[in-house]
Amino acid sequence: MRWTLKPKPLLEKVKNLSKALSISDTLASLLVQRNIESFDEARHFFRPSLKDLHDPFLLQDMLQAVERIEQAMQAKENILVFGDYDVDGTTAVSLVSSYLKSYYPNVASYIPDRYEEGYGISYQGIDFADDNDFTLIIALDCGIKAIDKVSYASDKGIDFIICDHHRPGNELPKAVAVLDAKRQDCTYPYDELCGCGVGFKLIQALGSRRGQTIKDLTEYLDLVATAIAADIVPMTGENRILAHYGLAQINSNPRLGIKAIIDQLKKDVLTITDVVFIIAPRINAAGRMKHGIHAVELLTSDDLASASDFAKSIEVYNVDRKELDKKITAEALTQIEENREQERFTSVVYQEDWHKGVIGIVASRLIETYYRPALVFTKNGNKLAASARSVSGFDVYNALEACCEYIEQFGGHKYAAGLTLLEENYDLFKSKFEEVVKHSIPDELRTPEIKIDAEISLTEITDKTMRIINQFGPFGPQNMKPVFVARNLKDNGYGRTVGADDSHLKLSIVTEGSGVVYNAIGFNLGHYHEQLKDGQTFDAVFTIEENVWNGRTSLQLNLKDVRIIE
């Protein structure tokens, strides 16, 4: 494991901010690392405000999108809200369709079948629109590269509005409007919205024409926060504001579908981490195991009894998904061993009967064992389909682009992508992808890295420190929970292994001479116990968290790694 201590900010900036906010230099340093250098910037950071959201009409083509939707309503056209089958897509469809239905009846939702239609806008979906007299499709979280499909729809008299956040190609589809802040000609101030976030900007624009303020739209922010958390977009700027208020909505007055999931969990207050690991996988499970439309039905339900029934069904899908994920991961790891590919620069595996709904999860699991870019292929019709995942710092999208002569179709971003290819090109692609990665990945990216925000002494860890760190949230990419390193520590003799297989480490950590003792838990670090039990000095990397036990809250260190000092 590589430990990388982030560069220390300029001392003068840290001291000035520390004085202005009456906080420790360590906390001030964390803020300066996040480009917060003044009292006012800190106030905006610690008190996110909906007033700081940008004008939605700054998005290129927003006016055209709004006018086309208003025109459709005046002419009583049928509108189809189309989105991808993952969390971002299903929440976006739920958001836009439920908003439009609140004042216009001729609206329906469409989620493509993961197995029959694949990712993004499909010809089958367009044919469905044509057969059912839909003349306007609003595509969410997809469509930025659907040039041929938008043209196909146009020939049938169907208009498209595309709301996407993926990287465009050299040419944009000829839609009525293309809302994507990553367009080269778009000057919108923030280009890291997720698909559901772009959908929210659309209803924000529509609402402004109807005299609605942002406060009238907060009921939709539980969906936006769920999408932001699930899609792993940067937790900065507008995303952080939307996630902050969306999380408040989830904990105070969530829509019935989300309430039905929470009710099964028996958890009072959810954090953004709970959204990532508890709510999002259940919403995703519908599209992985059955059909994404079930997630939309759950998230748009206006009856608690039916929402609970949907939530129970999705819980079953989630259990099935976990079992499949475990089984296919084991088979993929066996394949790597049998092919003697343990020392390669990539993990590329294929089995024709692997479930397409979990291959992305399996690719992530392979990275846990072999820390390198991973692709998991399965048979999909007469082609092979794969999910790609990458390691921190390496752009798998660019690597796939370098192999495009063997690929039929691909899309995605730096760390996750999907692709299809012909079966006869599998071995050629696999060989080329290995060569591309081998010659482009720096050596240091082949070892897992822990990025450390600051060095801290145990005496600095107080309830006040924890209160301020909590206000750094919601946490996510580019605003992760602060990670600290502390030096010259010892276990006071109460250290032990815990867990069914003794794989976890429980310590009571002290710094010599300080008298300060902190409990620490190190998941999957049980193997260090033998080295630490005799008072061996060590350094530790950790986050600070609140541990609630028997109604009492105490501070605990969540160990990420330890290093024995010889």
Side-chain angles (χ1 to χ4, degrees), residues 310-371:
F310 280 129
K312 285 172 188 166
S313 298
I314 282 174
E315 187 63 35
V316 172
Y317 301 153
N318 195 46
V319 170
D320 292 346
R321 188 269 307 164
K322 285 180 182 175
E323 289 173 359
L324 260 181
D325 149 24
K326 192 174 178 182
K327 172 179 173 287
I328 295 172
T329 299
E331 290 172 354
L333 289 170
T334 299
Q335 190 177 120
I336 289 169
E337 288 166 16
E338 287 176 351
N339 292 341
R340 298 184 179 178
E341 294 174 344
Q342 297 96 320
E343 302 304 316
R344 285 168 68 97
F345 285 75
T346 62
S347 298
V348 180
V349 290
Y350 162 57
Q351 193 163 301
E352 67 175 34
D353 63 347
W354 283 341
H355 197 293
K356 189 165 179 271
V358 297
I359 57 175
I361 299 172
V362 173
S364 297
R365 298 270 187 259
L366 294 183
I367 290 174
E368 291 170 11
T369 302
Y370 298 102
Y371 192 74

Side-chain angles (χ1 to χ4, degrees), residues 167 345-346 348 373-375 388-391 393-407 410 413-415 417 419 429-441:
R167 206 188 302 181
F345 285 75
T346 62
V348 180
L375 279 96
R389 295 293 183 268
S390 192
V391 297
F394 184 75
D395 194 326
V396 74
Y397 185 95
N398 286 346
L400 291 173
E401 213 160 30
C403 306
C404 63
E405 71 261 41
Y406 302 119
I407 297 174
F410 78 101
H413 48 82
K414 184 173 181 177
Y415 293 125
L419 66 146
F429 167 81
K430 182 172 177 174
S431 177
K432 179 70 181 284
F433 185 69
E434 170 73 10
E435 283 304 303
V436 167
V437 174
K438 181 177 181 179
H439 291 109
S440 60
I441 192 167

